[in-house]
Amino acid sequence: MRLAGELLSHHGKMSCAVIFSDDHGVSWRRGISPNDGRTFIGQSLRAETLSTEGADLTESQVIELPDGGLRVYMRNHAGLHRTAVAMSLDGGETWSETKYDQALLDPVCQSSVITYPDMGD
């Protein structure tokens, strides 16, 4: 059983990531940030060297989907006023391309997300 939790790294700009444990919390590893390898306004990004205005992915919430995948919802500074979303199929080690969900307004502060099993999400 994998335990996963989110963290925020700050190197001038902010990038979220997931930490995970496969040994019931005895040891932890950090997955890559959804910012690692992401292209934003024509620039390839890395969380550790992030300096691009608007590329921050912050204050994240992670849910586990019925198929075992993880979905992360991220507050961001892109100016689109929509929540950034990415998927992981490997327990948070890597992430899909970040997309901005047009149905979810980006909150002024961290949002909360839960999985509600009967909704089929």
Side-chain angles (χ1 to χ4, degrees):
M1 178 176 98
R2 176 166 279 185
L3 301 174
E6 61 275 344
L7 65 89
L8 183 63
S9 89
H10 195 289
H11 299 278
K13 295 287 183 183
M14 296 176 279
S15 292
C16 63
V18 168
I19 57 172
F20 52 88
S21 174
D22 293 319
D23 55 13
H24 302 285
V26 173
S27 62
W28 294 86
R29 294 187 328 182
R30 177 192 180 276
I32 68 167
S33 168
N35 258 337
D36 288 327
R38 179 167 82 115
T39 300
F40 182 79
I41 311 176
Q43 296 181 11
S44 182
L45 305 178
R46 291 201 33 80
E48 292 178 1
T49 57
L50 187 64
S51 63
T52 304
E53 284 299 318
D56 307 66
L57 296 174
T58 69
E59 297 178 343
S60 61
Q61 293 280 293
V62 177
I63 60 169
E64 182 177 8
L65 300 172
D67 66 2
L70 299 180
R71 184 179 296 151
V72 62
Y73 295 85
M74 302 161 283
R75 198 163 87 69
N76 63 85
H77 300 192
L80 302 173
H81 307 293
R82 296 295 180 262
T83 299
V85 180
M87 291 287 301
S88 177
L89 300 177
D90 57 14
E93 293 183 47
T94 61
W95 295 96
S96 68
E97 177 185 348
T98 298
K99 299 186 185 226
Y100 297 92
D101 190 321
Q102 297 303 306
L104 296 175
L105 292 176
D106 197 34
V108 179
C109 62
Q110 183 170 350
S111 61
S112 293
V113 180
I114 61 171
T115 303
Y116 188 78
D118 294 336
M119 296 296 289
D121 55 355

